[in-house]
Structure formats: structure tokens, C-alpha cells
Amino acid sequence: MGSGRRQSPGSPPAPARGACLFLLLCLRLGAPCPQACECSDQAGAVAVHCSHSDLQEVPADIPADAELLKLDANRISRIPDGAFQHLQHLRELDLSHNAVETIGPAAFSGLAGGLRLLDLSHNRIRRIPKDALGKLSAKIRLSHNPLHCECALQEALWELKLDPDSVDELACHTSVQEEFVGQPLIQVLDSGVSLCSAHHKTTDVAMLVTMFGWFTMVVTYIVYYVRHNQEDARRHLEYLKSLPSAPSPKDLGSPVH
């Protein structure tokens, strides 16, 4: 007698059961997983892991019900407008350790309400795109980016909810004022320095230089115009003097002897 367990008449064969489970998993994830990524269901939350996948752009076929998306440690350099607009359930987005330089003003549209954490650390961001990040309520990590400390950066920081655990690691890679280069950004701002006052001062000086240039041009033109007219008047006067004088009426009426 064989020792194998007899399959009940009502149960599907093992390969069919496996296919059903795979189908259910796909339905649960909502869409096929991107080729370079791994998708899993963690306590009812769909997680998409695309770390270390040599990606150069954000995948377009991320499942719409993803709540965690890890795109860290890739070669992504640009986040275009609407890159995540279909991911309305996303709670955490990790874009750290990439080469991000450019972020579209509507790059994170559709995520304003639900996103809780956005990690943009260890990238190549020089200027914070206020239009892209200002509407997010998520904690934002921006440490280890070559930030340019200027008025626009200071104004953008007022509108962002920075992650308190990484805010001390923000530093001025370059600055409108040389003394701030290499200093922690929080230390610069806590010192009471306004990067915007330096910006306005530079703008005022530029305006004064421009106005002085225009004033100099106007004065030069007026001087040239006056001198040119004086020269013309002098030449005209000399010409008149050189003309032979007309005989007077008295000379015309005298008899000829």
C-alpha cells in the first residue's frame, strides 16, 4: 500500500492552488511589480523595494496601492512632474543615495495629504525646490546635499517640515557669503544672520551701479549734444562773417562823378 496522502475530491491539485495564490497576491498588490523591484505585503501594507537596482529614472509601473517605496542607492538624477501622482496611498518615499539634481515643481503632486516621510538625503541638490516641497506635510530629509546658502534657501526652509533627526547634518556647501561655507546651516540661521539681507544688499548695489551707468550715459550725451551744437553755431557764425557785405542804401543813391 502506498503511503502518500490521498487528495480529497473537492480540493484543487497542488499546481492549481499555487496559481491561485499567485493570482491572489497579484490582485492584492494591485499591479505587476516593476521588473527591477521586489513587492511584498507587510501587515496589509504593500511595500515596493527597488534599492540597488541601477535605475536611472523613477519606474512608471509602481503598484497604485504601494505604501512604502524604496528607490535608494540608484542613479536617478531627475524627478519629473507627476512621477508619483498615481500613488495616493504612499506613506514613505526613500530617494536617498541617488544623483538627484533636478526636481520638477509638480514632482510630488498627489502625495501632499498622505506622505509621512520623504528622504532626499545624499543627493546633489543645490537649491531646494520650494514649489515641489512646500505643500508636503511629510518630514523631509535633506542632509548631505551640496546646498547653496542663499535667500531662496532660507525662505524655502521656513515652509518645510524638516526631519529633526537629520537637520543638524545640513551644511552650506556654497554661500552668498564666504564665511558661511562649510558651516552647519542650522548654526548659520541660529546666529541671527539673514541670508536675504545679503541678497537685498547685493541687489541694491547692482541697482545703484546700473543707475549710475545710465546717468553717466545721459550726461555724456548731453555734453556731446551741447558741444556739437556750439561747434555748429560757431561755424555758421564764421560763415556769415565771411560773406561779402551788402552795399548800403546810401551808397546806392549817391551820384556818379
Side-chain angles (χ1 to χ4, degrees), residues 129-173:
K130 182 172 63 173
D131 293 339
L133 302 179
K135 298 178 181 179
L136 296 177
S137 58
K139 292 181 181 179
I140 301 174
R141 294 175 183 168
L142 285 166
S143 57
H144 301 286
N145 276 287
L147 296 175
H148 178 63
C149 290
E150 57 179 347
C151 181
L153 174 67
Q154 186 172 5
E155 290 178 343
L157 292 177
W158 290 336
E159 299 185 20
L160 302 187
K161 185 179 179 182
L162 296 177
D163 178 26
D165 295 333
S166 63
V167 70
D168 292 336
E169 298 173 359
L170 295 174
C172 296
H173 184 75

Side-chain angles (χ1 to χ4, degrees), residues 189-202:
L189 298 179
D190 283 348
S191 66
V193 172
S194 174
L195 298 172
C196 292
S197 63
H199 170 75
H200 294 321
K201 182 178 179 180
T202 303

Side-chain angles (χ1 to χ4, degrees), residues 98-101 120-128 142-150 153 169-175 181-183 185:
N98 273 281
V100 176
E101 294 184 39
L120 288 167
S121 62
H122 295 274
N123 275 285
R124 300 176 184 175
I125 301 171
R126 296 192 71 244
R127 289 177 170 84
I128 294 177
L142 285 166
S143 57
H144 301 286
N145 276 287
L147 296 175
H148 178 63
C149 290
E150 57 179 347
L153 174 67
E169 298 173 359
L170 295 174
C172 296
H173 184 75
T174 56
S175 176
V181 175
Q183 292 191 21
L185 179 58

